[in-house]
């Protein structure tokens, strides 16, 4: 059973990306994967700065997140859109996690991303559903060496898109989410 790490791109408690990530967790389970949903608020890292890294090394939160990434077969990222791109939180998270830990070179840096499948979900209160952010995120993950599957889901007007139980209201969106989950589980097998 492939292990999928599910990462919402916002740390806000009521973030739409967290709601979409929760729906993604259920879809991964339906597709036969074993999902692990995390909250980046539990992995606080300072803004990446090479001199800070040289002086203090990797933050403990980075090491913990690197271990989670290394221990999973794929990533499913639910990203909001900030100013037409991904969140600074996601950029900073990947900046830190792509660094090599001298105490664990094989379980850190680009090695934890190499050839690992990734799936993308986008959410936004706007009409594009976070689509513009996914272009940038797809590029970033490719630069890290990940294989981003072509299937993706964007959820426009995401503030109105969810049932009280957390599922997507729209049947087409539910089917597309299941298609992303199935493709990702298949790629991770």
């Amino acid at each position: 059973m492939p292990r999928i790490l599910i990462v919402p791109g916002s740390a806000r408690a009521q973030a739409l990306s967290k709601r979409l990530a929760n729906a993604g967790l259920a879809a991964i389970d339906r597709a036969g994967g074993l999902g692990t949903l995390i909250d980046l608020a539990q992995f606080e890292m300072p803004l990446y700065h090479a001199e800070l890294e040289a002086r203090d090394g990797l933050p403990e939160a980075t090491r913990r997140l690197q271990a989670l990434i290394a221990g999973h077969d794929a990533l499913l990222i639910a990203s909001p859109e900030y100013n037409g791109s991904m969140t600074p939180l996601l950029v900073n998270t990947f900046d830190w996690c792509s660094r090599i830990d001298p105490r664990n070179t094989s379980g850190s840096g680009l090695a934890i991303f190499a050839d690992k499948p990734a799936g993308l979900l986008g959410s936004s209160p706007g009409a594009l559903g976070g689509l513009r952010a996914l272009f940038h995120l797809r590029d970033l993950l490719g630069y890290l060496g990940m294989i981003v599957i072509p299937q993706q889901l964007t959820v426009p007007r995401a503030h109105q898109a969810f049932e009280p139980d957390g599922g997507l209201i729209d049947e087409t969106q539910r089917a597309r989410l299941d298609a992303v989950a199935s493709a990702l589980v298949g790629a991770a097998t």
Side-chain angles (χ1 to χ4, degrees):
M1 182 178 289
R3 298 185 66 208
I4 313 296
L5 186 64
I6 304 167
V7 182
S10 175
R12 285 188 313 110
Q14 299 300 316
L16 296 170
S17 61
K18 285 185 177 180
R19 295 180 78 182
L20 185 54
N22 274 305
L25 174 63
I28 291 293
D29 290 344
R30 287 191 299 272
L34 179 61
T36 304
L37 178 62
I38 64 168
D39 185 343
L40 290 178
Q42 303 300 315
F43 298 90
E44 287 191 32
M45 296 173 239
L47 185 61
Y48 178 77
H49 190 294
E51 290 177 2
L52 177 67
E53 179 188 9
R55 185 186 71 215
D56 300 333
L58 296 183
E60 187 55 38
T62 301
R63 288 189 179 96
R64 288 188 296 116
L65 188 51
Q66 286 176 329
L68 273 173
I69 294 168
H72 284 78
D73 302 303
L75 273 72
L76 179 63
I77 301 168
S79 180
E81 183 176 294
Y82 282 21
N83 298 318
S85 190
M86 67 192 114
T87 63
L89 176 62
L90 277 176
V91 173
N92 195 56
T93 297
F94 287 117
D95 284 347
W96 273 112
C97 287
S98 66
R99 304 304 297 166
I100 294 174
D101 182 356
R103 301 186 314 194
N104 182 13
T105 56
S106 64
S108 66
L110 296 179
I112 64 174
F113 299 107
D115 298 323
K116 190 169 285 194
L120 303 181
L121 309 173
S123 60
S124 170
L128 297 179
L131 178 64
R132 296 176 297 184
L134 298 190
F135 290 121
H136 297 266
L137 186 54
R138 184 174 293 277
D139 283 346
L140 172 62
L141 297 177
Y143 297 140
L144 294 176
M146 299 192 79
I147 301 166
V148 184
I149 63 171
Q151 297 84 353
Q152 66 182 29
L153 169 67
T154 58
V155 180
R157 296 174 216 21
H159 59 292
Q160 302 169 339
F162 296 95
E163 298 278 3
D165 69 358
L168 288 164
I169 293 170
D170 184 80
E171 186 176 319
T172 302
Q173 289 176 343
R174 282 195 313 266
R176 291 192 61 207
L177 178 58
D178 284 340
V180 171
S182 291
L184 186 58
V185 167
T189 302

